[in-house]
């Protein structure tokens, strides 16, 4: 997983992480649990570079009072239907809620099988900082696929890791650029319960909050589901979108995002 932070004068720093599956895809045992979680479509979203200038332009036209973009021809906004269609995220189900004052090192140990090193006081080098943990550390723990004789518990730990990373990168990106929020991790146990939640109803308010924060004077960075913002713009303003995949058979199922390529 690569971290991209582009710094150009006058352009907002867009926090974006690249999620790319290994050639051949994930271990079928892991995919079985991702299918059970109901988030298979998210793993079909193609790797795309974020258009920093486009995001900046839209942020300049965002109005926190209405949660819409004020454009020359009127107001337009991103809706739950957009996030469901573009990214394949479920928008029906239970609200995504939970405690944020958990002992997160213990949560990591119980659900991922690895406990992060102790926190370093007054330092930003700690692997775990509050509810956020470094991506690099997670990647190191799960660099290798489960062995052929791995237990079902180990396979589930790998599945939770992939779910946590992809959801963090595509839905709940924050401004740290190198850390992922752990608040979703307790909801990944058991994995079969994941499909009960409305992840779209959690990701969209998070995006709204990021857009509202970025629209303030002198703010120069933004997180959130920015790929969704870009795909929304492509679908609403076709003349600015890159090349699209031709609709040739066989038509591959997946989120609307798969039709766009660079």
């Amino acid at each position: 997983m690569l971290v991209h932070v582009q710094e150009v004068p006058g352009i907002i720093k867009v926090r974006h992480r690249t999620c790319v599956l290994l050639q051949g895809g994930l271990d079928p045992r892991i995919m079985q649990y991702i299918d059970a979680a109901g988030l298979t479509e998210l793993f079909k979203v193609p790797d795309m570079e974020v258009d920093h200038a486009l995001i900046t332009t839209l942020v300049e036209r965002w109005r926190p009072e209405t949660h819409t973009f004020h454009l020359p021809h009127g107001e337009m906004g991103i809706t739950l239907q957009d996030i469901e269609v573009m990214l394949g995220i479920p928008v029906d189900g239970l609200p995504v809620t939970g405690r944020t004052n958990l002992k997160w090192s213990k949560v990591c140990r119980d659900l991922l099988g690895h406990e992060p090193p102790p926190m370093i006081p007054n330092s930003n080098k700690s692997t775990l900082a509050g509810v956020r943990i470094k991506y690099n550390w997670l990647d190191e723990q799960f660099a290798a696929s489960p062995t052929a004789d791995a237990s079902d518990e180990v396979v589930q730990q790998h599945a939770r890791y992939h779910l946590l990373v992809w959801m963090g990168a595509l839905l709940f990106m924050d401004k740290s650029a190198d850390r992922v929020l752990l608040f979703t991790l307790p909801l990944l146990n058991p994995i079969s319960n994941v499909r009960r939640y409305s992840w779209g109803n959690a990701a969209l308010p998070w995006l709204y909050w990021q857009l509202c924060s970025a629209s303030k004077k002198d703010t120069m960075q933004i997180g959130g589901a920015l790929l969704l913002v870009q795909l929304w713009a492509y679908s609403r303003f076709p003349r600015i979108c890159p090349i699209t995949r031709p609709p040739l058979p066989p038509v591959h199922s997946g989120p609307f995002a798969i039709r766009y390529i660079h």
Side-chain angles (χ1 to χ4, degrees), residues 42-125:
L42 185 65
F43 286 74
K44 296 180 181 179
V45 174
D47 175 39
M48 298 176 62
E49 287 294 331
V50 171
D51 188 331
H52 302 261
L54 173 59
I55 299 298
T56 300
T57 300
L58 290 171
V59 168
E60 291 174 350
R61 294 185 174 275
W62 178 262
R63 292 298 177 268
E65 301 84 1
T66 59
H67 288 168
T68 55
F69 300 107
H70 284 220
L71 305 172
H73 55 273
E75 296 182 33
M76 298 181 70
I78 301 174
T79 66
L80 284 174
Q81 183 183 35
D82 292 318
I83 196 169
E84 181 180 29
V85 172
M86 298 290 181
L87 302 181
I89 299 301
V91 298
D92 297 319
L94 299 174
V96 177
T97 61
R99 294 169 54 190
T100 58
N101 61 344
L102 300 174
K103 294 183 178 180
W104 293 105
S105 59
K106 183 178 184 300
V107 173
C108 289
R109 184 186 65 205
D110 294 343
L111 300 183
L112 296 176
H114 300 279
E115 185 171 357
M119 186 180 69
I120 304 173
N122 303 319
S123 173
N124 61 359
K125 296 182 179 180

Coordinates of all heavy atoms in Angstrom, one line a residue, residues 42-125:
L42 N -16.4 -3.7 -2.8 CA -15.4 -2.7 -2.4 C -14.0 -3.1 -2.9 O -13.2 -2.3 -3.4 CB -15.3 -2.5 -0.9 CG -14.4 -1.4 -0.4 CD1 -14.9 0.0 -0.9 CD2 -14.3 -1.4 1.1
F43 N -13.7 -4.4 -2.9 CA -12.4 -4.9 -3.4 C -12.3 -4.9 -4.9 O -11.3 -5.3 -5.4 CB -12.2 -6.3 -2.8 CG -11.9 -6.3 -1.3 CD1 -12.8 -6.0 -0.4 CD2 -10.6 -6.5 -0.9 CE1 -12.5 -6.0 1.0 CE2 -10.2 -6.5 0.4 CZ -11.2 -6.2 1.4
K44 N -13.4 -4.6 -5.6 CA -13.4 -4.5 -7.1 C -13.1 -3.1 -7.5 O -12.9 -2.9 -8.8 CB -14.7 -5.0 -7.7 CG -15.0 -6.5 -7.4 CD -16.3 -6.9 -8.0 CE -16.6 -8.4 -7.7 NZ -17.9 -8.8 -8.3
V45 N -13.1 -2.1 -6.6 CA -12.9 -0.7 -7.0 C -11.5 -0.6 -7.5 O -10.5 -1.0 -6.9 CB -13.1 0.2 -5.8 CG1 -12.7 1.6 -6.2 CG2 -14.5 0.2 -5.3
P46 N -11.3 -0.1 -8.8 CA -9.9 -0.1 -9.4 C -9.0 1.0 -8.7 O -9.5 2.0 -8.1 CB -10.2 0.3 -10.8 CG -11.5 1.1 -10.8 CD -12.3 0.4 -9.7
D47 N -7.7 0.7 -8.8 CA -6.8 1.7 -8.3 C -6.8 2.9 -9.3 O -6.6 2.8 -10.5 CB -5.4 1.1 -8.3 CG -4.3 2.1 -7.9 OD1 -4.6 3.0 -7.1 OD2 -3.2 2.0 -8.5
M48 N -7.0 4.1 -8.7 CA -7.0 5.3 -9.5 C -6.3 6.4 -8.8 O -6.3 6.5 -7.6 CB -8.5 5.8 -9.8 CG -9.4 4.8 -10.5 SD -11.1 5.4 -10.6 CE -10.9 6.9 -11.5
E49 N -5.6 7.3 -9.6 CA -5.0 8.4 -9.1 C -6.0 9.5 -8.8 O -6.9 9.7 -9.6 CB -3.9 9.0 -10.1 CG -2.7 8.2 -10.2 CD -1.9 8.2 -8.9 OE1 -1.9 9.2 -8.2 OE2 -1.2 7.2 -8.6
V50 N -5.9 10.1 -7.7 CA -6.9 11.2 -7.3 C -6.5 12.5 -8.0 O -5.3 12.9 -8.1 CB -6.9 11.4 -5.8 CG1 -7.8 12.6 -5.5 CG2 -7.5 10.2 -5.1
D51 N -7.5 13.2 -8.6 CA -7.2 14.4 -9.3 C -7.3 15.5 -8.3 O -8.3 16.0 -7.9 CB -8.3 14.6 -10.4 CG -8.0 15.8 -11.3 OD1 -7.4 16.8 -10.8 OD2 -8.5 15.8 -12.4
H52 N -6.1 16.0 -7.8 CA -6.0 16.9 -6.7 C -6.7 18.3 -7.1 O -7.3 18.9 -6.3 CB -4.6 17.2 -6.3 CG -3.9 15.9 -5.9 ND1 -3.7 15.6 -4.6 CD2 -3.3 14.9 -6.6 CE1 -3.0 14.4 -4.5 NE2 -2.8 14.0 -5.7
A53 N -6.5 18.7 -8.4 CA -7.1 20.0 -8.8 C -8.6 19.9 -8.8 O -9.3 20.9 -8.4 CB -6.5 20.3 -10.2
L54 N -9.1 18.8 -9.3 CA -10.6 18.6 -9.3 C -11.2 18.6 -7.9 O -12.2 19.3 -7.6 CB -10.9 17.3 -10.0 CG -12.4 16.8 -10.0 CD1 -13.3 17.9 -10.7 CD2 -12.6 15.5 -10.6
I55 N -10.5 17.9 -6.9 CA -11.0 17.9 -5.6 C -11.0 19.3 -5.0 O -11.9 19.8 -4.3 CB -10.2 17.0 -4.7 CG1 -10.3 15.5 -5.2 CG2 -10.6 17.0 -3.2 CD1 -11.7 14.9 -5.2
T56 N -9.9 20.0 -5.2 CA -9.7 21.4 -4.7 C -10.8 22.3 -5.3 O -11.5 23.1 -4.6 CB -8.4 22.0 -5.1 OG1 -7.3 21.2 -4.6 CG2 -8.2 23.4 -4.6
T57 N -11.1 22.2 -6.6 CA -12.2 23.0 -7.2 C -13.5 22.7 -6.6 O -14.3 23.6 -6.3 CB -12.3 22.7 -8.7 OG1 -11.0 23.0 -9.3 CG2 -13.4 23.5 -9.4
L58 N -13.8 21.5 -6.3 CA -15.1 21.1 -5.7 C -15.2 21.6 -4.2 O -16.2 22.0 -3.8 CB -15.3 19.6 -5.8 CG -15.6 19.1 -7.2 CD1 -15.6 17.5 -7.2 CD2 -17.0 19.6 -7.7
V59 N -14.1 21.5 -3.5 CA -14.1 22.0 -2.1 C -14.4 23.5 -2.1 O -15.1 23.9 -1.2 CB -12.7 21.7 -1.5 CG1 -12.6 22.4 -0.1 CG2 -12.5 20.2 -1.2
E60 N -13.8 24.2 -3.0 CA -14.1 25.7 -3.1 C -15.6 26.0 -3.3 O -16.0 27.1 -2.9 CB -13.2 26.3 -4.2 CG -11.7 26.3 -3.9 CD -10.9 26.8 -5.1 OE1 -11.5 26.9 -6.2 OE2 -9.7 27.0 -4.9
R61 N -16.3 25.0 -3.8 CA -17.7 25.3 -4.1 C -18.6 24.5 -3.1 O -19.8 24.5 -3.2 CB -18.1 24.8 -5.5 CG -17.4 25.7 -6.6 CD -17.8 25.4 -8.0 NE -17.3 26.3 -8.9 CZ -17.8 27.5 -9.3 NH1 -18.9 27.9 -8.7 NH2 -17.2 28.3 -10.2
W62 N -18.0 23.9 -2.1 CA -18.8 23.2 -1.0 C -19.3 24.2 0.0 O -18.6 25.1 0.4 CB -17.9 22.2 -0.4 CG -18.6 21.4 0.7 CD1 -18.5 21.7 2.1 CD2 -19.4 20.3 0.6 NE1 -19.2 20.8 2.8 CE2 -19.8 19.9 1.9 CE3 -19.9 19.6 -0.5 CZ2 -20.6 18.8 2.2 CZ3 -20.8 18.5 -0.2 CH2 -21.1 18.1 1.1
R63 N -20.6 24.0 0.4 CA -21.2 24.9 1.4 C -21.6 24.1 2.6 O -22.5 23.2 2.5 CB -22.4 25.6 0.8 CG -22.0 26.7 -0.3 CD -21.1 27.8 0.3 NE -20.7 28.7 -0.7 CZ -19.6 28.6 -1.4 NH1 -18.7 27.6 -1.2 NH2 -19.2 29.5 -2.3
P64 N -21.0 24.3 3.7 CA -21.3 23.5 4.9 C -22.7 23.6 5.4 O -23.3 22.7 6.0 CB -20.3 24.1 6.0 CG -19.2 24.7 5.2 CD -19.8 25.2 4.0
E65 N -23.4 24.8 5.1 CA -24.7 25.0 5.5 C -25.7 24.0 4.9 O -26.7 23.6 5.5 CB -25.2 26.4 5.2 CG -24.3 27.5 5.8 CD -23.1 27.8 5.0 OE1 -22.9 27.2 3.9 OE2 -22.3 28.7 5.4
T66 N -25.4 23.6 3.7 CA -26.4 22.7 2.9 C -25.8 21.4 2.6 O -26.5 20.5 2.1 CB -26.8 23.4 1.6 OG1 -25.6 23.7 0.8 CG2 -27.6 24.7 1.9
H67 N -24.5 21.2 2.8 CA -23.8 20.0 2.4 C -24.0 19.7 0.9 O -24.2 18.5 0.5 CB -24.3 18.8 3.3 CG -23.8 18.8 4.7 ND1 -24.3 18.0 5.7 CD2 -22.9 19.6 5.3 CE1 -23.7 18.3 6.8 NE2 -22.8 19.2 6.6
T68 N -23.8 20.7 0.2 CA -23.9 20.6 -1.3 C -22.9 21.5 -2.0 O -22.3 22.4 -1.4 CB -25.3 21.1 -1.8 OG1 -25.6 22.4 -1.4 CG2 -26.4 20.1 -1.3
F69 N -22.6 21.2 -3.3 CA -21.7 22.0 -4.1 C -22.6 23.1 -4.7 O -23.6 22.8 -5.4 CB -21.0 21.1 -5.1 CG -20.2 20.0 -4.6 CD1 -20.6 18.7 -4.7 CD2 -19.0 20.3 -4.0 CE1 -19.8 17.7 -4.1 CE2 -18.2 19.3 -3.4 CZ -18.6 18.0 -3.5
H70 N -22.2 24.3 -4.6 CA -22.9 25.4 -5.2 C -22.2 25.7 -6.6 O -21.1 26.2 -6.6 CB -22.8 26.7 -4.4 CG -23.8 26.6 -3.2 ND1 -24.5 27.7 -2.8 CD2 -24.1 25.6 -2.4 CE1 -25.3 27.3 -1.7 NE2 -25.1 26.0 -1.5
L71 N -22.9 25.3 -7.6 CA -22.4 25.4 -9.0 C -23.1 26.4 -9.8 O -24.2 26.9 -9.4 CB -22.5 24.0 -9.7 CG -21.8 22.9 -8.9 CD1 -22.1 21.5 -9.6 CD2 -20.3 23.1 -8.9
P72 N -22.6 26.9 -10.9 CA -23.3 27.9 -11.7 C -24.7 27.6 -12.1 O -25.6 28.5 -12.2 CB -22.4 28.1 -13.0 CG -21.0 27.6 -12.5 CD -21.3 26.5 -11.5
H73 N -25.0 26.3 -12.3 CA -26.4 26.0 -12.7 C -27.2 25.5 -11.5 O -28.4 25.1 -11.7 CB -26.3 24.8 -13.7 CG -25.5 23.6 -13.2 ND1 -24.2 23.5 -13.4 CD2 -25.9 22.5 -12.6 CE1 -23.8 22.4 -12.9 NE2 -24.8 21.7 -12.4
G74 N -26.7 25.6 -10.3 CA -27.5 25.2 -9.1 C -26.7 24.4 -8.1 O -25.5 24.3 -8.2
E75 N -27.4 23.8 -7.2 CA -26.8 23.0 -6.1 C -26.8 21.5 -6.5 O -27.8 21.0 -7.0 CB -27.5 23.2 -4.8 CG -27.4 24.6 -4.2 CD -28.1 24.7 -2.9 OE1 -28.1 23.8 -2.1 OE2 -28.7 25.8 -2.6
M76 N -25.7 20.8 -6.1 CA -25.7 19.4 -6.4 C -25.0 18.8 -5.2 O -24.1 19.4 -4.5 CB -24.9 19.1 -7.6 CG -25.5 19.6 -8.9 SD -24.6 19.1 -10.4 CE -24.9 17.4 -10.5
G77 N -25.3 17.5 -4.8 CA -24.7 16.9 -3.7 C -24.5 15.4 -3.9 O -25.0 14.8 -4.8
I78 N -23.7 14.8 -3.1 CA -23.4 13.4 -3.1 C -24.3 12.7 -2.1 O -24.5 13.1 -1.0 CB -21.9 13.1 -2.7 CG1 -21.0 13.8 -3.7 CG2 -21.6 11.6 -2.7 CD1 -19.5 13.8 -3.3
T79 N -25.0 11.7 -2.6 CA -26.0 11.0 -1.8 C -25.6 9.6 -1.4 O -24.6 9.0 -1.9 CB -27.3 11.0 -2.5 OG1 -27.2 10.2 -3.7 CG2 -27.7 12.4 -3.0
L80 N -26.5 8.9 -0.6 CA -26.2 7.5 -0.3 C -26.3 6.7 -1.6 O -25.6 5.6 -1.7 CB -27.3 7.1 0.7 CG -27.1 7.5 2.2 CD1 -28.2 7.1 3.0 CD2 -25.8 6.9 2.7
Q81 N -27.2 7.0 -2.5 CA -27.3 6.3 -3.7 C -26.0 6.3 -4.5 O -25.5 5.3 -5.0 CB -28.4 6.8 -4.6 CG -28.6 6.0 -5.9 CD -29.7 6.6 -6.8 OE1 -29.8 7.8 -6.9 NE2 -30.4 5.8 -7.5
D82 N -25.3 7.4 -4.5 CA -24.0 7.5 -5.1 C -23.0 6.6 -4.5 O -22.3 5.9 -5.3 CB -23.5 9.0 -5.1 CG -24.3 9.9 -5.9 OD1 -24.7 9.6 -7.0 OD2 -24.6 11.0 -5.4
I83 N -22.9 6.6 -3.2 CA -21.9 5.7 -2.6 C -22.2 4.2 -2.8 O -21.3 3.4 -2.9 CB -21.7 6.1 -1.1 CG1 -20.4 5.5 -0.5 CG2 -22.9 5.6 -0.3 CD1 -20.1 6.0 0.8
E84 N -23.5 3.9 -2.8 CA -23.9 2.5 -3.1 C -23.6 2.1 -4.5 O -23.0 1.0 -4.7 CB -25.4 2.3 -2.8 CG -25.9 0.9 -3.0 CD -27.4 0.8 -2.7 OE1 -28.1 1.8 -2.9 OE2 -27.8 -0.3 -2.3
V85 N -23.9 3.0 -5.4 CA -23.7 2.6 -6.9 C -22.2 2.7 -7.2 O -21.7 1.8 -7.9 CB -24.5 3.5 -7.8 CG1 -24.2 3.3 -9.2 CG2 -26.0 3.3 -7.5
M86 N -21.5 3.7 -6.8 CA -20.1 3.9 -7.2 C -19.2 2.9 -6.6 O -18.3 2.4 -7.3 CB -19.7 5.4 -6.9 CG -20.5 6.5 -7.6 SD -20.1 6.5 -9.3 CE -21.1 7.9 -9.8
L87 N -19.3 2.7 -5.3 CA -18.4 1.9 -4.6 C -18.9 0.5 -4.1 O -18.2 -0.3 -3.6 CB -17.8 2.6 -3.3 CG -17.2 4.0 -3.6 CD1 -16.7 4.6 -2.3 CD2 -16.0 3.8 -4.6
G88 N -20.2 0.3 -4.3 CA -20.8 -1.0 -4.0 C -20.9 -1.2 -2.5 O -20.9 -2.3 -2.0
I89 N -21.1 -0.1 -1.7 CA -21.2 -0.2 -0.3 C -22.6 -0.2 0.2 O -23.5 0.5 -0.3 CB -20.5 1.1 0.4 CG1 -19.0 1.2 0.0 CG2 -20.6 1.1 1.9 CD1 -18.2 0.0 0.4
P90 N -23.0 -1.1 1.1 CA -24.4 -1.2 1.6 C -24.8 0.0 2.3 O -24.0 0.6 3.1 CB -24.4 -2.5 2.5 CG -22.9 -2.6 2.9 CD -22.1 -2.2 1.7
V91 N -26.0 0.5 2.1 CA -26.5 1.7 2.7 C -27.7 1.3 3.6 O -28.3 2.2 4.3 CB -26.9 2.8 1.7 CG1 -25.7 3.2 0.9 CG2 -28.0 2.3 0.8
D92 N -28.1 0.1 3.7 CA -29.2 -0.3 4.5 C -28.6 -1.1 5.7 O -27.6 -1.9 5.5 CB -30.2 -1.2 3.8 CG -30.9 -0.4 2.7 OD1 -31.2 0.7 2.9 OD2 -31.0 -1.0 1.6
G93 N -29.2 -1.0 6.8 CA -28.8 -1.8 8.0 C -28.6 -1.0 9.2 O -29.1 0.1 9.4
L94 N -27.9 -1.6 10.2 CA -27.8 -0.9 11.5 C -26.8 0.3 11.4 O -25.9 0.3 10.6 CB -27.3 -1.9 12.5 CG -28.1 -3.2 12.8 CD1 -27.4 -4.1 13.7 CD2 -29.5 -2.7 13.4
P95 N -27.0 1.3 12.3 CA -26.0 2.4 12.3 C -24.6 1.9 12.8 O -24.6 1.0 13.7 CB -26.6 3.4 13.3 CG -27.5 2.5 14.2 CD -28.1 1.4 13.3
V96 N -23.6 2.5 12.3 CA -22.2 2.1 12.7 C -21.9 3.0 14.0 O -21.6 4.1 13.9 CB -21.2 2.4 11.6 CG1 -19.8 2.1 12.1 CG2 -21.5 1.5 10.4
T97 N -22.0 2.3 15.1 CA -21.7 3.0 16.4 C -20.8 2.1 17.2 O -20.7 0.9 17.0 CB -23.0 3.4 17.1 OG1 -23.7 2.1 17.4 CG2 -23.9 4.3 16.3
G98 N -20.3 2.7 18.3 CA -19.5 1.9 19.2 C -18.6 2.8 20.1 O -18.6 4.0 19.9
R99 N -17.9 2.2 21.0 CA -17.0 2.9 21.9 C -15.7 3.3 21.3 O -15.2 2.5 20.4 CB -16.8 2.1 23.2 CG -18.1 1.8 24.0 CD -17.8 0.8 25.1 NE -16.7 1.2 25.9 CZ -16.1 0.4 26.8 NH1 -16.5 -0.9 26.9 NH2 -15.1 0.8 27.5
T100 N -15.1 4.4 21.7 CA -13.8 4.8 21.2 C -12.8 4.8 22.3 O -11.6 5.1 22.0 CB -13.9 6.2 20.6 OG1 -14.4 7.1 21.6 CG2 -14.8 6.3 19.4
N101 N -13.2 4.4 23.5 CA -12.2 4.4 24.6 C -11.8 3.0 25.0 O -11.5 2.7 26.2 CB -12.9 5.1 25.9 CG -14.1 4.4 26.3 OD1 -14.7 3.6 25.6 ND2 -14.6 4.7 27.6
L102 N -11.8 2.1 24.0 CA -11.3 0.8 24.3 C -9.8 0.7 24.4 O -9.1 1.6 24.0 CB -11.8 -0.1 23.1 CG -13.3 -0.2 22.9 CD1 -13.5 -1.1 21.6 CD2 -14.0 -0.9 24.1
K103 N -9.3 -0.4 24.9 CA -7.9 -0.6 25.0 C -7.5 -1.2 23.6 O -7.6 -2.4 23.4 CB -7.5 -1.6 26.1 CG -7.7 -1.0 27.5 CD -7.3 -2.0 28.6 CE -7.5 -1.4 30.0 NZ -7.1 -2.3 31.0
W104 N -7.1 -0.4 22.7 CA -7.0 -0.7 21.3 C -5.8 -1.7 21.1 O -5.9 -2.5 20.1 CB -6.8 0.5 20.4 CG -8.1 1.3 20.4 CD1 -8.3 2.5 21.1 CD2 -9.3 1.0 19.8 NE1 -9.6 2.9 20.9 CE2 -10.2 2.0 20.1 CE3 -9.7 -0.1 19.0 CZ2 -11.5 2.0 19.6 CZ3 -11.0 -0.1 18.5 CH2 -11.9 0.9 18.8
S105 N -4.8 -1.7 21.9 CA -3.7 -2.7 21.7 C -4.3 -4.1 22.0 O -3.9 -5.1 21.3 CB -2.6 -2.4 22.7 OG -3.0 -2.4 24.0
K106 N -5.2 -4.2 23.0 CA -5.8 -5.5 23.3 C -6.8 -5.9 22.2 O -6.9 -7.1 21.8 CB -6.5 -5.5 24.6 CG -7.2 -6.8 25.0 CD -7.8 -6.7 26.4 CE -8.4 -8.0 26.8 NZ -9.4 -8.6 25.9
V107 N -7.5 -4.9 21.6 CA -8.4 -5.2 20.5 C -7.6 -5.8 19.3 O -8.0 -6.8 18.7 CB -9.2 -4.0 20.1 CG1 -10.0 -4.2 18.8 CG2 -10.1 -3.5 21.2
C108 N -6.5 -5.2 19.0 CA -5.6 -5.7 17.9 C -5.1 -7.1 18.2 O -5.1 -7.9 17.3 CB -4.4 -4.7 17.7 SG -4.8 -3.1 17.1
R109 N -4.7 -7.3 19.4 CA -4.2 -8.7 19.8 C -5.3 -9.7 19.6 O -5.1 -10.8 19.1 CB -3.7 -8.7 21.2 CG -3.1 -10.0 21.7 CD -2.7 -10.0 23.1 NE -3.9 -9.8 24.0 CZ -4.0 -9.3 25.2 NH1 -2.9 -8.8 25.7 NH2 -5.1 -9.2 25.8
D110 N -6.6 -9.4 20.1 CA -7.7 -10.3 20.1 C -8.2 -10.6 18.7 O -8.5 -11.7 18.3 CB -8.8 -9.8 21.0 CG -8.4 -9.8 22.4 OD1 -7.4 -10.5 22.8 OD2 -9.1 -9.1 23.2
L111 N -8.3 -9.5 17.8 CA -8.9 -9.7 16.5 C -8.0 -9.8 15.4 O -8.3 -10.3 14.3 CB -9.9 -8.5 16.3 CG -11.0 -8.4 17.4 CD1 -11.9 -7.2 17.0 CD2 -11.8 -9.7 17.5
L112 N -6.7 -9.3 15.5 CA -5.7 -9.4 14.5 C -4.6 -10.4 14.8 O -3.8 -10.8 13.9 CB -5.1 -8.0 14.2 CG -6.1 -7.0 13.7 CD1 -5.4 -5.6 13.5 CD2 -6.7 -7.4 12.3
G113 N -4.5 -10.8 16.0 CA -3.5 -11.8 16.4 C -2.1 -11.1 16.6 O -1.1 -11.8 16.8
H114 N -2.1 -9.8 16.6 CA -0.8 -9.1 16.8 C -1.0 -7.9 17.7 O -2.0 -7.1 17.5 CB -0.2 -8.6 15.5 CG 0.1 -9.7 14.5 ND1 1.2 -10.5 14.6 CD2 -0.7 -10.2 13.5 CE1 1.2 -11.4 13.6 NE2 0.1 -11.3 12.9
E115 N -0.2 -7.7 18.6 CA -0.3 -6.5 19.5 C 0.8 -5.5 19.2 O 2.0 -5.8 19.2 CB -0.2 -7.0 21.0 CG -0.4 -5.8 22.0 CD -0.5 -6.3 23.4 OE1 -0.4 -7.6 23.6 OE2 -0.6 -5.5 24.3
P116 N 0.4 -4.2 19.0 CA 1.4 -3.2 18.6 C 2.3 -2.9 19.8 O 2.0 -3.2 20.9 CB 0.5 -2.0 18.3 CG -0.8 -2.2 19.0 CD -1.0 -3.7 19.0
P117 N 3.5 -2.4 19.5 CA 4.5 -2.1 20.5 C 3.9 -1.0 21.5 O 3.0 -0.3 21.1 CB 5.7 -1.5 19.8 CG 5.5 -2.0 18.4 CD 4.1 -2.2 18.2
P118 N 4.4 -0.9 22.7 CA 4.0 0.1 23.7 C 4.1 1.5 23.1 O 5.1 1.8 22.3 CB 4.9 -0.1 24.9 CG 5.4 -1.6 24.8 CD 5.5 -1.8 23.3
M119 N 3.3 2.4 23.5 CA 3.3 3.7 23.0 C 4.5 4.5 23.5 O 4.9 4.3 24.7 CB 2.0 4.5 23.5 CG 1.9 5.9 22.9 SD 0.4 6.7 23.4 CE 0.8 7.0 25.2
I120 N 5.1 5.3 22.7 CA 6.2 6.1 23.1 C 5.7 7.5 23.5 O 5.1 8.2 22.7 CB 7.2 6.3 21.9 CG1 7.7 5.0 21.4 CG2 8.4 7.2 22.3 CD1 8.5 5.1 20.1
P121 N 5.9 7.8 24.8 CA 5.3 9.1 25.3 C 5.8 10.3 24.6 O 7.0 10.4 24.2 CB 5.8 9.1 26.8 CG 6.1 7.7 27.1 CD 6.6 7.1 25.9
N122 N 4.9 11.2 24.3 CA 5.3 12.5 23.6 C 6.0 12.3 22.3 O 7.0 13.0 22.0 CB 6.1 13.4 24.6 CG 5.4 13.7 25.9 OD1 4.2 13.9 25.9 ND2 6.1 13.6 27.0
S123 N 5.6 11.4 21.6 CA 6.3 11.1 20.3 C 5.2 10.7 19.3 O 4.3 10.0 19.6 CB 7.3 10.0 20.4 OG 7.8 9.6 19.2
N124 N 5.4 11.1 18.0 CA 4.5 10.7 16.9 C 5.0 9.5 16.2 O 4.5 9.1 15.2 CB 4.4 11.9 15.9 CG 5.7 12.3 15.3 OD1 6.7 11.7 15.6 ND2 5.7 13.2 14.4
K125 N 6.0 8.8 16.8 CA 6.6 7.6 16.2 C 5.9 6.3 16.7 O 6.3 5.2 16.3 CB 8.1 7.6 16.4 CG 8.9 8.7 15.8 CD 10.4 8.5 16.0 CE 11.1 9.6 15.3 NZ 12.6 9.5 15.5

